[in-house]
């Protein structure tokens, strides 16, 4: 369709100023939603999908897009869509289904890709799993997966269909990092015999690196890099290789966390939000033994994804974090000063935003959420092309 929707809003039309530092601070910890910032980008609609969850770029500039019901799509930059066959069977429902897709760091040589998904267990249980296999493109615009093998599973599986997490990213260390949600079970996030509510670090084949903080304890404990997480849906590495995680809070208290080796981030013992039934969860400042978020948001932004931008299309954004905002219908930009972070812009996208990705030329790509969700490309309208 390639309809260009120029989304430039004159700064003068905004009472609250353009790109102003957002998030006035309340009680020294809670960022309040700032006024929407003027969007410095043009928006091009590329294609639409049924409940897309994630995307990643191939070296040739094409995109892989997952759809939660269990489909993997190959997308040309112009919008043509074809199917990739051989996707594992997924348990679709609620927040569960096909999740993330990432490439092996040596994909150009080995063709290996990774998928995360909700997997059915005994009775009415399910759990996140990660499989890897080889993607073969067929020359007709489509392709197939082969030798798909599950290399990781959540332990234990749980009932319900919430808080899988299951965001994947390769670190600068060449390791596969997985964000594992606590399945809305709360206490497993503090249980070292479970890998729920944790950030995990694995070798590319799913084995445990010998230098993990709890490697000598064996079992799933050895997979753990950090604990005390709720539903971490964004996972990205900064230029120094440090992992950052965006985490859905309960009623209030969405978090941006700098992930440090072996640390405990406190869920469900502390949160700057509270339970949905109104019962109080002590705030982070009452329990300094737990790592506090670098930003917490109340009202929530509902972060679905996170990247750290390094492109040339938007030079002013280099080194910034970009968040896909679900309930906030926004793209949120966060700037760093050392290891401190603050929201600097919030762009109203008018829809739930599920996923954000940086394109090959530094353009920013977004996936909306749900039925009929659009794939959008954001570019700088002032640049000649
Ligand atoms: Ca992605
Ligand atoms: Ca609280």
């Amino acid at each position: 369709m390639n309809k260009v929707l120029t989304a430039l809003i004159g700064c003068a039309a905004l009472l609250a100023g353009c790109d102003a530092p957002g998030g006035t601070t309340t009680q020294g910890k809670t960022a309040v939603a700032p006024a929407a910032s003027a969007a410095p980008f043009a928006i091009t609609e590329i294609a639409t999908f049924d409940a897309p969850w994630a995307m990643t770029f191939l070296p040739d500039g094409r995109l892989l897009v997952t759809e939660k019901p269990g489909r993997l799509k190959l997308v040309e930059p112009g919008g043509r869509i074809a199917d990739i066959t051989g996707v594992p069977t997924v348990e679709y429902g609620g927040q569960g289904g096909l999740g993330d897709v990432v490439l092996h760091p040596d994909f150009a040589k080995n063709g290996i890709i990774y998928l995360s998904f909700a997997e059915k267990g005994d009775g009415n249980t399910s759990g996140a799993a990660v499989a890897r296999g080889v993607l073969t493109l067929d020359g007709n615009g489509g392709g197939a997966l082969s030798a798909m093998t599950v290399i990781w599973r959540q332990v234990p599986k749980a009932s319900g269909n919430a808080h899988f997490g299951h965001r994947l990213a390769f670190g600068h260390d060449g390791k596969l990092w997985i964000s594992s949600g606590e399945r809305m079970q709360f206490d497993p996030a503090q249980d070292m015999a479970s890998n729920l509510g944790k950030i995990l670090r694995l070798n590319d084949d799913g084995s445990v690196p010998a230098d993990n903080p709890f490697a000598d304890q064996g079992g799933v404990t050895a997979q753990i890099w950090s604990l005390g997480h709720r539903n971490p849906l964004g996972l990205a590495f900064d230029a120094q290789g440090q992992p950052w995680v965006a985490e859905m809070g309960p009623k209030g208290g969405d978090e941006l966390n700098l992930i440090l080796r072996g640390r405990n981030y406190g869920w469900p013992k502390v949160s700057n939000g509270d339970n949905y039934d109104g019962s109080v969860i002590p705030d982070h400042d009452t329990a300094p033994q737990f790592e506090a978020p670098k930003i917490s948001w109340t009202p929530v932004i509902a972060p679905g994804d996170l990247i750290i931008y390094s492109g040339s299309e938007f030079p002013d954004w280099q080194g910034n974090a970009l968040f896909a905002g679900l309930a906030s219908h926004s793209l949120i930009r966060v700037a760093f000063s050392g290891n401190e972070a603050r929201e600097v812009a919030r762009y109203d996208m008018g829809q739930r935003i599920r996923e954000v990705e940086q394109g090959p030329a530094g353009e920013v790509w977004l996936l909306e959420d749900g039925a009929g969700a659009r794939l959008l490309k954001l570019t700088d309208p002032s640049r000649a092309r």
Side-chain angles (χ1 to χ4, degrees), residues 126-262:
S126 62
V130 174
R132 76 169 203 170
V134 175
L135 171 64
T136 305
L137 301 173
D138 64 13
N140 294 321
L145 302 176
S146 58
M148 290 300 287
T149 306
V150 173
I151 61 164
W152 175 82
R153 290 185 164 94
Q154 283 186 326
V155 176
K157 285 186 163 56
S159 61
N161 51 27
H163 297 187
F164 294 93
H166 68 27
R167 183 64 67 187
L168 309 175
F170 273 91
H172 297 199
D173 56 2
K175 304 303 182 187
L176 175 63
W177 293 66
I178 303 172
S179 74
S180 177
E182 46 73 286
R183 300 302 319 288
M184 222 179 232
Q185 306 291 313
F186 301 88
D187 293 337
Q190 294 291 324
D191 178 0
M192 294 298 282
S194 165
N195 58 15
L196 304 184
K198 312 293 189 318
I199 303 301
L200 309 168
R201 178 176 177 263
L202 303 178
N203 294 318
D204 67 344
D205 62 358
S207 62
V208 172
D211 60 345
N212 269 9
F214 309 104
D216 60 356
Q217 296 185 35
V220 299
T221 310
Q223 303 170 351
I224 297 170
W225 188 262
S226 64
L227 61 145
H229 300 282
R230 184 173 180 270
N231 192 21
L233 287 174
L235 170 59
F237 294 84
D238 65 20
Q240 292 75 44
Q242 299 186 109
W244 293 82
V245 162
E247 192 167 328
M248 289 266 195
K251 188 178 175 186
D254 284 351
E255 296 184 350
L256 173 63
N257 287 307
L258 172 59
I259 300 301
L260 301 172
R261 175 190 171 85

Side-chain angles (χ1 to χ4, degrees), residues 43 58 72 95 111 161 188 198 201 231 244 270 338 352 354:
I43 304 171
L58 296 173
L72 181 62
Q95 296 174 11
N161 51 27
K198 312 293 189 318
R201 178 176 177 263
N231 192 21
W244 293 82
V270 292
R352 291 164 58 85
R354 167 61 65 183

Side-chain angles (χ1 to χ4, degrees), residues 270-274 280-284:
V270 292
S271 169
N272 289 349
D274 293 313
V280 170
I281 305 170
D283 285 357
H284 269 281

